[in-house]
Amino acid sequence: MAYLLGRYNNLTVWWLMIHYFTNRELSQKLEINLARWKRWSRAFLPPDPLGGHQSGYARQYSTKDAFLVYLAGFLVSTLGFSIPAARQILHDLTPWLNKNIIENGTWAANQNGDAAVGPRCIDLIIMPARRKVTPAFTYRIRSRIERKTLEAGETTLWQEQFTEQVIKPGEPLTAGCYPACARWVDLSAIAEHFFAQLTPKES
């Protein structure tokens, strides 16, 4: 949760690390229909070992589990991935997400380049790949580490530097004679919104 350092006080960071959320709480905070949120959680998380329809126990979510459901729901509702495809993407990327977004998230705690540019940006590029088991994907994670402004007359130019990581490299899938379209996800914007919505509002 180092993501939150520099944005929220230590008490808020501690609260998010230990707090568990209910379906209704997450539905309200994230402004997602309650029935839809429950469908997503059933599709993208393993069964709750403490729950079950007969026990009367309401499922509770760690911040980590809530973020994974939120991201997978975005892939389905906004980018048009099928449930099996979104489930595969989550399976492939969860170790990276845990380390870089949920547990660490140093991309949002530091700033490089122009002071007005804001935090570093992370884009996830999802490319269908040719493998024996489908759905299958190759992922490029592009992290902006610096952005500077260059003035050229009336035109403003940006000079940017990126790091790029490839996860599960594979031969791109083609649609006819063309490569299948890649889809882009602004991970930094999704994480920023998610954590901001879950953070207790100051009275």
Side-chain angles (χ1 to χ4, degrees):
M1 290 292 182
Y3 154 79
L4 296 162
L5 298 179
R7 293 181 181 272
Y8 309 114
N9 60 40
N10 289 335
L11 181 60
T12 301
V13 176
W14 174 82
W15 183 86
L16 274 174
M17 291 179 69
I18 67 166
H19 188 74
Y20 281 78
F21 301 90
T22 64
N23 281 307
R24 188 170 300 278
E25 191 176 7
L26 289 168
S27 170
Q28 292 173 348
K29 287 179 176 292
L30 298 173
E31 299 180 347
I32 297 171
N33 176 271
L34 179 58
R36 171 178 283 192
W37 176 266
K38 288 181 177 180
R39 287 198 302 273
W40 287 352
S41 69
R42 288 193 297 267
F44 301 121
L45 291 179
D48 185 359
L50 298 179
H53 293 295
Q54 303 302 321
S55 69
Y57 174 84
R59 181 162 196 162
Q60 294 188 324
Y61 299 79
S62 65
T63 302
K64 168 192 166 183
D65 285 344
F67 179 77
L68 294 177
V69 173
Y70 182 68
L71 175 59
F74 173 85
L75 296 176
V76 171
S77 64
T78 303
L79 295 187
F81 283 102
S82 67
I83 293 290
R87 192 180 289 125
Q88 183 63 49
I89 293 167
L90 212 62
H91 174 270
D92 295 340
L93 294 180
T94 291
W96 188 92
L97 291 168
N98 284 341
K99 180 179 179 181
N100 295 277
I101 300 293
I102 300 168
E103 296 174 1
N104 185 14
T106 54
W107 58 270
N110 300 305
Q111 244 176 226
N112 296 286
D114 292 352
V117 170
R120 215 162 60 187
C121 175
I122 298 181
D123 287 321
L124 167 65
I125 303 126
I126 305 171
M127 299 166 287
R130 189 182 303 280
R131 299 200 191 102
K132 293 181 180 180
V133 178
T134 57
F137 303 96
T138 288
Y139 310 93
R140 288 167 53 201
I141 299 174
R142 192 181 191 201
S143 304
R144 188 178 69 205
I145 57 175
E146 186 176 35
R147 186 181 192 188
K148 294 181 178 179
T149 305
L150 303 177
E151 297 292 343
E154 296 181 356
T155 303
T156 300
L157 303 177
W158 298 100
Q159 177 179 287
E160 298 181 333
Q161 293 185 11
F162 297 87
T163 61
E164 193 168 273
Q165 179 180 359
V166 178
I167 298 176
K168 297 182 76 69
E171 180 184 355
L173 191 66
T174 59
C177 58
Y178 299 101
C181 292
R183 289 183 242 190
W184 289 62
V185 180
D186 187 343
L187 277 179
S188 44
I190 289 175
E192 177 75 19
H193 181 263
F194 173 84
F195 285 110
Q197 293 300 104
L198 263 57
T199 301
K201 302 298 187 291
E202 295 183 3
S203 56

